[in-house]
Amino acid sequence: MFKQKIYLGLSLAGFCVALVSCNIPKEIQKTENKQTPGSYGSNSADTLNSGKIRWKTFFTDPNLNNLIDTALTRNQELQITLQELEIAKSEIRLKQGQLLPSVGVRAGVGLEKVGRYTSQGAGDASTEITPGREMPDPLPDYLLGVYGNWEVDVWHKLHNAKKAAVSRYLSSVEGKNFVVTNLVAEIANSYYELLALDNQLAIVKQNIELQNNALEVVKAQKEASRVTELAVRKFSAEVLNTQSLQFNIQQQITETENKINFLLGRFPQPIVRSSTNFNDLVPSEIHAGVPSQLLANRPDVKQAELALAAAKLDVKAARAEFYPSLGISASIGLQAFDPGYLVKFPESMLYSLAGELVAPLINRNGIKAEYTKANAEQIQAVYNYERTILNAYVEVANQMANISNSQKSYDLKTKQVSELTQSIDISNDLFRAARADYLEVLMTQRDALEAKLELIETKKQQMNAMVNIYQALGGGWN
């Protein structure tokens, strides 16, 4: 008889599974494209990769390294990202807990009064606990027990949800690494910008001194009636223009210092930096490696890959919702209307064991909507992963070209500055000998100043290109 009940239960369970399985949508998996070109344009496929170098080794300026160290401990955006990691960890613990049985302890005290002319009231009135002792009325109730519920993960719905949570945590870790690479690169670029502004300010101050000397010469020429008041006014106006430029650069220095302080999570204060000639800086040698290394080096690519893995697991978990869920519940404890009877065993003992199979039958629209959403998010994650790989390749290719072109531009600018610097002395000599107009002197000084400032700007572009390609190759987070 007992076996027949078991067979009947299994038959009903099989019928439920077959019934709900008739209209389950097929699982759709979109395969991502991980293929990358063999090299960056015409560059050779060198497997050496600068992105694997630790930032403390890559950047040789101790002042810059101290700034980065401070930022990694105090930057607010990074601290916010670290809290997101804690949130992702909690999600893993939540999903892990759903795999285990839920067990609790129950203790209760109650009082019940039923009508005398009811089946329970009539039964209690005619029942004696011991000879001569009737059931109490009203009836107390004392309970102490342990109960548990467990959903058996037959279709791996809960396991896939847990794996998805783990993938999202690992994706958050890579997201944190990506924030670090951006932070390191932003501080380095701002630091080199600060050095460039310092050198531009020094050049402007030197030029003001030269212009003042030229102004005194023009004034003497005017006293000798060799030039007019117009020449004096022109030279004086040029000095004032350059002095105005000095204060513009000083304002940029202040803003750049404050930007670095903000990245370091502190209030404005002076930034300790190198005082060497900015033009003497030499960018670190860069090895781009091969494009396929971006898949393992760049945190944003790994983040997108792990997010895609989580999205695929979400589809499996959502699809498992169409199948019946098997739940097991059990309880064991002691119950009596008198506390003294709780210790009388086994009369006061209670226990239960039940299993239930719950399957969605009619209202499946919600489950279908959740599955459709998970599937769309999976396809979205595929495109995001492919876009991230493409963006990584383009960034490296752009910076490789930037390094080459900025070096060529710097070489030409250096020659231009040399020529114009010599032209200043020549124009001054010619002016004193009345063989050149004062406008030629002014234009020569102005062109030389602009060329020197542009030379500093080009050197800054070189240093920024070095930082940016290091970041693009996946460097800076380790």
Side-chain angles (χ1 to χ4, degrees):
M1 187 69 178
F2 182 70
K3 288 185 178 180
Q4 291 179 350
K5 292 181 179 180
I6 294 178
Y7 293 149
L8 178 61
L10 293 175
S11 300
L12 290 174
F15 174 75
C16 291
V17 172
L19 183 63
V20 300
S21 301
C22 293
N23 195 27
I24 295 179
K26 293 183 179 180
E27 185 174 348
I28 301 174
Q29 289 283 354
K30 182 174 176 58
T31 304
E32 65 278 10
N33 181 15
K34 296 184 178 182
Q35 295 297 320
T36 58
S39 63
Y40 298 103
S42 59
N43 297 305
S44 60
D46 183 7
T47 57
L48 291 177
N49 194 303
S50 297
K52 296 181 179 180
I53 302 175
R54 294 175 60 86
W55 64 263
K56 288 187 176 181
T57 304
F58 185 80
F59 298 112
T60 57
D61 189 327
N63 295 314
L64 173 57
N65 287 352
N66 289 336
L67 293 174
I68 294 174
D69 264 329
T70 303
L72 293 180
T73 57
R74 300 189 57 176
N75 179 264
Q76 285 91 348
E77 183 180 357
L78 182 56
Q79 297 305 316
I80 292 172
T81 304
L82 292 176
Q83 293 307 309
E84 291 177 355
L85 290 181
E86 294 300 320
I87 295 173
K89 280 185 183 178
S90 299
E91 186 68 19
I92 294 177
R93 289 193 289 267
L94 174 63
K95 299 301 182 182
Q96 178 68 37
Q98 293 176 351
L99 285 168
L100 302 175
S102 173
V103 180
V105 178
R106 179 181 296 165
V109 178
L111 186 67
E112 184 182 24
K113 174 67 173 74
V114 299
R116 173 67 178 81
Y117 300 110
T118 63
S119 59
Q120 182 179 345
D124 291 346
S126 60
T127 302
E128 292 184 348
I129 301 302
T130 58
R133 184 181 178 184
E134 297 180 351
M135 291 285 289
D137 186 22
L139 183 67
D141 185 26
Y142 299 92
L143 171 67
L144 180 63
V146 178
Y147 67 94
N149 296 287
W150 181 36
E151 181 179 351
V152 184
D153 193 21
V154 180
W155 316 110
H156 298 288
K157 176 183 67 176
L158 302 179
H159 279 84
N160 286 328
K162 178 201 167 186
K163 290 179 181 177
V166 171
S167 293
R168 285 195 172 86
Y169 167 73
L170 296 176
S171 178
S172 299
V173 172
E174 297 300 337
K176 183 267 296 183
N177 293 337
F178 188 57
V179 170
V180 171
T181 64
N182 291 338
L183 179 61
V184 169
E186 191 170 4
I187 292 174
N189 282 329
S190 299
Y191 180 78
Y192 290 128
E193 181 180 358
L194 193 57
L195 295 185
L197 290 170
D198 286 343
N199 280 259
Q200 286 179 337
L201 181 62
I203 291 172
V204 168
K205 288 181 177 179
Q206 291 174 1
N207 205 72
I208 291 174
E209 185 177 351
L210 293 174
Q211 288 176 340
N212 279 324
N213 293 336
L215 177 59
E216 294 301 320
V217 172
V218 173
K219 287 180 178 179
Q221 295 277 32
K222 192 245 181 185
E223 292 294 330
S225 300
R226 298 180 60 182
V227 296
T228 64
E229 181 66 18
L230 179 60
V232 175
R233 298 291 182 179
K234 284 285 188 179
F235 271 84
S236 178
E238 195 67 20
V239 172
L240 294 172
N241 179 67
T242 308
Q243 288 175 336
S244 174
L245 178 61
Q246 172 187 344
F247 291 107
N248 288 337
I249 295 177
Q250 287 178 344
Q251 176 62 26
Q252 294 179 49
I253 290 175
T254 299
E255 292 180 0
T256 305
E257 281 189 316
N258 289 342
K259 177 183 178 182
I260 294 175
N261 282 312
F262 176 78
L263 293 174
L264 269 57
R266 67 189 189 189
F267 288 99
Q269 57 185 274
I271 298 296
V272 179
R273 52 192 183 269
S274 173
S275 58
T276 59
N277 190 332
F278 189 63
N279 283 324
D280 293 337
L281 294 179
V282 179
S284 301
E285 185 179 4
I286 295 293
H287 298 279
V290 294
S292 60
Q293 292 173 327
L294 293 174
L295 304 182
N297 289 354
R298 286 201 34 148
D300 58 334
V301 174
K302 293 192 286 185
Q303 180 186 19
E305 182 179 15
L306 290 165
L308 173 58
K312 290 182 177 181
L313 290 167
D314 285 340
V315 173
K316 293 182 178 180
R319 191 169 186 268
E321 291 285 354
F322 288 99
Y323 295 102
S325 60
L326 175 61
I328 297 176
S329 60
S331 62
I332 185 170
L334 302 172
Q335 186 176 20
F337 62 82
D338 189 323
Y341 290 149
L342 287 175
V343 297
K344 292 188 176 182
F345 189 83
E347 288 83 357
S348 61
M349 179 181 178
L350 67 88
Y351 62 86
S352 67
L353 178 64
E356 60 178 2
L357 199 63
V358 179
L361 186 60
I362 297 177
N363 187 18
R364 291 155 54 96
N365 290 334
I367 299 176
K368 288 180 180 179
E370 190 67 28
Y371 176 75
T372 303
K373 173 188 172 185
N375 213 24
E377 288 176 345
Q378 176 219 175
I379 297 174
Q380 188 181 56
V382 170
Y383 289 126
N384 181 62
Y385 178 57
E386 294 175 348
R387 182 187 63 176
T388 305
I389 294 175
L390 177 60
N391 178 67
Y393 178 89
V394 170
E395 285 183 356
V396 174
N398 286 344
Q399 294 306 322
M400 288 291 291
N402 191 9
I403 287 177
S404 175
N405 292 327
S406 61
Q407 180 61 51
K408 295 174 183 176
S409 176
Y410 183 78
D411 293 340
L412 295 173
K413 285 288 182 184
T414 302
K415 294 179 180 179
Q416 180 190 16
V417 169
S418 177
E419 296 289 337
L420 289 173
T421 302
Q422 295 177 25
S423 298
I424 292 177
D425 295 333
I426 295 173
S427 65
N428 287 334
D429 293 340
L430 292 174
F431 178 69
R432 290 188 183 97
R435 297 174 59 188
D437 186 76
Y438 68 88
L439 290 176
E440 293 180 275
V441 178
L442 283 175
M443 293 303 298
T444 302
Q445 290 180 348
R446 183 181 299 175
D447 291 344
L449 175 60
E450 291 178 355
K452 290 177 181 179
L453 296 179
E454 289 175 358
L455 181 64
I456 296 292
E457 191 68 24
T458 305
K459 172 59 72 171
K460 187 187 77 171
Q461 292 175 4
Q462 275 189 295
M463 302 306 293
N464 287 347
M466 174 197 71
V467 174
N468 292 337
I469 194 170
Y470 177 62
Q471 177 192 13
L473 291 171
W477 60 269
N478 55 354

